[in-house]
Amino acid sequence: MTDPDPHLLGPGLLPTPFTAEEIRDATGTGKSIRLLLEGPDGPMGEHVNRFSDTDEEGATLERWAAEDPSAVVSNRVTWAELQGHAAFDADTTSVSTVRLSTPLGELTCRRYDTDDGVFWFSIDHPGMPVQYESDGLRTTVLSIDRD
């Protein structure tokens, strides 16, 4: 018997772009991700996601608006939970491989077109999408800094 595909989280779901282990390994001892949020009328602000206290199971995730670093929201996340955010329904999602011009450079991405939006995951940056669009909003990763 073959081992199950760690990218497949359940029946009816597409394979995720990354496994929990790949996300953990890409995070290392910690990293900060700077994001730009844009609405129909233009930029709405920058946010920061910071991973720290990493271990085999997960990390502490702190999030805040760049203009107000004192308003930090913090919680513990597991690598499996983060992988699960990219487990899309096979019947309502299409996947393609595309090139995307981003602040991180020209990236090869897996593009997931879903009922809830469009998500671009950079093959070279395991973790959150480097860009996503949903409900008229776009979020773009501006930078990734590792500890």
Side-chain angles (χ1 to χ4, degrees):
M1 183 173 160
T2 61
D3 287 334
D5 182 347
H7 293 92
L8 261 178
L9 297 185
L13 297 174
L14 290 171
T16 59
F18 312 109
T19 65
E21 290 75 22
E22 289 169 332
I23 296 168
R24 179 197 65 217
D25 292 348
T27 303
T29 59
K31 71 178 173 181
S32 296
I33 303 169
R34 193 169 193 87
L35 308 161
L36 174 64
L37 280 63
E38 298 173 280
D41 298 325
M44 298 169 50
E46 293 183 13
H47 286 241
V48 178
N49 290 356
R50 170 131 173 67
F51 293 88
S52 61
D53 302 320
T54 62
D55 60 33
E56 201 64 23
E57 297 299 316
T60 299
L61 172 58
E62 298 170 312
R63 300 178 307 276
W64 65 89
E67 64 272 4
D68 188 7
S70 65
V72 174
V73 175
S74 178
N75 62 303
R76 181 80 180 161
V77 295
T78 68
W79 308 123
E81 286 173 310
L82 296 176
Q83 178 186 4
H85 291 168
F88 299 111
D89 184 272
D91 291 335
T92 60
T93 304
S94 64
V95 183
S96 56
T97 300
V98 299
R99 294 287 292 167
L100 183 67
S101 181
T102 79
L104 300 175
E106 285 288 322
L107 302 174
T108 300
C109 296
R110 288 190 188 97
R111 176 182 165 145
Y112 290 74
D113 288 85
T114 76
D115 285 345
D116 296 323
V118 182
F119 303 82
W120 291 265
F121 291 89
S122 168
I123 292 170
D124 294 330
H125 298 89
M128 71 177 294
V130 292
Q131 186 168 290
Y132 57 95
E133 297 175 358
S134 181
D135 297 325
L137 300 176
R138 174 187 289 165
T139 301
T140 303
V141 171
L142 298 175
S143 64
I144 300 172
D145 296 309
R146 290 186 56 163
D147 291 352

